[in-house]
Amino acid sequence: MQKTASSSALGPDGLDMSQSFFKPIQYASPPSPNSRNTKISVIGVGNVGMAIAQTILTQGLADEISLVDVNADKLRGEMLDLQHAAAFLPRTKISASVDYSSTLGSDLVIVTAGARQIPGESRLNLLQRNLDLFRKMIPPLAAGSPDSIILVVSNPVDVLTYVAWKLSGFPSNRVIGSGTNLDSSRFRFLIADHLDLNAQDVQAYIVGEHGDSSVALWSSISVGGVPILSFLERQQIAYEKKTLEKIHKEVVDGAYEVIGLKGYTSWAIGYSVASLARSILRDQRSIHPVSVLAKGFYGIDDGEPFLSLPAQLGRSGVLGVTNIHLTDDEVKRLRESAKTILELQSQLGV
């Protein structure tokens, strides 16, 4: 498939209308060179990839978006569908190609492509197939955009972020996984819904694996700046640990419920990844629970596990990890989560 993009050339001879349509004003200086555009590449145009691309477009986060997929017809169809909405969106150049060369010079490369699990297939076998896919995909992406930040969304995200880090040769701060950013949003929503308030007023994190061994940091939850658990204790309001565990289970099962109802998840992960893109590309220095190299944190000293911790994100990727105080039980659960991830990583031979 030939690379296709928006163009100012019209007619059979490719007349460049942009040069003849406008007449320069008198005594004007020559046009100054354009400042460098912000370019985002989205690898994989499935439901997740297109939700991310659409959200990034509507929020005006990039000057150029490059879509890449192996399915040429679907790829071109998705590109045209977005281009036809140009009159309703911030000006963005949209291109599409089956070739990774179209991603050259990207500031942010978002990887959503991945093998789908076959019924009855083991998690390790699925990982091995994704490893084979990443071996073909990550090296040319890294070579074409050596100063970019790679953001992995494909699942299992923690292990595949580790794989992308190893295959790219990038420093660890420039390879990030979407991790539990969405899990934490679900967590905040459930707490806010329970208290009947705005989720933006709730600060709460899910850390560790994006999966069954994730850890809810109950000890650090605050609402409007008020730590929840200590408030309940001061007010002598009884609460059961089972109630807290039930909310965490709803977070873990949230994606499964959506998939069971509509067949896939898309919109929430689209907004989640767009929030990460905004923090990175606009140097917002915001804190997000994302998958990072966790070695050296909370007693995780063995191996090189990638798992989610509250990290400050900016233009150079991960700027640092927030030093949140964890209870002994939370530290124990986090280490167990790291052990789960390391067991999978050790079987890949990367």
Side-chain angles (χ1 to χ4, degrees):
M1 173 184 171
Q2 187 178 3
K3 179 182 174 184
T4 312
S6 307
S7 174
S8 60
L10 299 173
D13 299 320
L15 174 64
D16 191 347
M17 292 289 290
S18 65
Q19 299 298 316
S20 56
F21 194 77
F22 297 99
K23 182 179 178 180
I25 62 173
Q26 296 186 43
Y27 314 124
S29 62
S32 59
N34 289 334
S35 58
R36 188 177 181 281
N37 288 338
T38 300
K39 181 176 180 179
I40 297 177
S41 290
V42 179
I43 316 303
V45 296
N47 296 314
V48 170
M50 290 313 300
I52 292 169
Q54 190 267 350
T55 310
I56 286 171
L57 272 173
T58 56
Q59 294 185 9
L61 299 181
D63 301 298
E64 181 177 356
I65 292 182
S66 174
L67 305 175
V68 178
D69 199 278
V70 295
N71 187 335
D73 288 343
K74 177 171 171 39
L75 180 63
R76 178 169 171 77
E78 295 287 10
M79 178 198 70
L80 291 172
D81 209 5
L82 290 178
Q83 287 180 344
H84 296 167
F88 316 114
L89 295 168
R91 183 172 183 249
T92 306
K93 180 182 179 183
I94 305 167
S95 63
S97 176
V98 295
D99 194 328
Y100 294 125
S101 63
S102 65
T103 68
L104 293 179
S106 294
D107 297 283
L108 179 64
V109 177
I110 301 173
V111 180
T112 73
R116 291 186 178 182
Q117 191 163 15
I118 301 168
E121 182 180 30
S122 70
R123 192 179 184 190
L124 180 59
N125 193 65
L126 173 64
L127 261 176
Q128 203 64 53
R129 291 198 295 124
N130 273 315
L131 173 58
D132 294 340
L133 177 63
F134 270 48
R135 285 190 195 278
K136 298 173 185 174
M137 182 167 53
I138 299 299
L141 289 171
S145 302
D147 298 319
S148 67
I149 291 165
I150 296 176
L151 176 54
V152 178
V153 183
S154 312
N155 279 316
V157 68
D158 302 297
V159 179
L160 289 181
T161 304
Y162 165 79
V163 168
W165 174 52
K166 287 295 185 181
L167 295 177
S168 68
F170 282 8
S172 59
N173 62 296
R174 291 202 285 119
V175 183
I176 305 166
S178 56
T180 58
N181 196 51
L182 176 53
D183 306 65
S184 297
S185 175
R186 291 186 179 118
F187 194 31
R188 293 167 68 188
F189 161 74
L190 289 169
I191 294 168
D193 192 51
H194 187 71
L195 298 175
D196 193 23
L197 51 82
N198 192 319
Q200 293 182 350
D201 293 319
V202 177
Q203 182 150 26
Y205 294 119
I206 299 288
V207 298
E209 179 197 18
H210 171 59
D212 296 341
S213 73
S214 64
V215 182
L217 300 186
W218 288 103
S219 65
S220 63
I221 293 176
S222 65
V223 174
V226 179
I228 283 290
L229 294 192
S230 60
F231 171 79
L232 293 177
E233 290 167 1
R234 282 198 310 273
Q235 299 296 317
Q236 297 183 338
I237 299 173
Y239 64 90
E240 293 187 5
K241 193 174 181 181
K242 284 192 295 186
T243 303
L244 306 185
E245 291 173 351
K246 182 182 177 184
I247 294 176
H248 181 214
K249 189 175 187 307
E250 285 186 60
V251 172
V252 174
D253 293 343
Y256 301 128
E257 182 180 8
V258 174
I259 291 169
L261 292 169
K262 62 178 270 191
Y264 55 89
T265 60
S266 56
W267 298 119
I269 188 63
Y271 282 105
S272 172
V273 173
S275 75
L276 300 179
R278 176 185 294 275
S279 291
I280 292 167
L281 296 175
R282 296 194 175 171
D283 200 29
Q284 294 290 295
R285 297 174 177 258
S286 302
I287 297 169
H288 297 269
V290 290
S291 192
V292 299
L293 179 61
K295 186 179 179 70
F297 294 100
Y298 301 105
I300 301 170
D301 298 317
D302 296 330
E304 296 171 327
F306 272 69
L307 52 78
S308 286
L309 294 171
Q312 186 185 43
L313 301 183
R315 196 60 188 80
S316 58
V318 178
L319 305 178
V321 171
T322 310
N323 189 19
I324 292 181
H325 174 73
L326 306 186
T327 65
D328 291 343
D329 182 60
E330 289 167 345
V331 170
K332 180 185 175 183
R333 288 171 182 253
L334 185 62
R335 290 174 184 170
E336 288 171 353
S337 190
K339 186 178 178 182
T340 299
I341 293 167
L342 276 172
E343 286 173 357
L344 286 171
Q345 286 182 190
S346 64
Q347 298 177 70
L348 293 177
V350 179

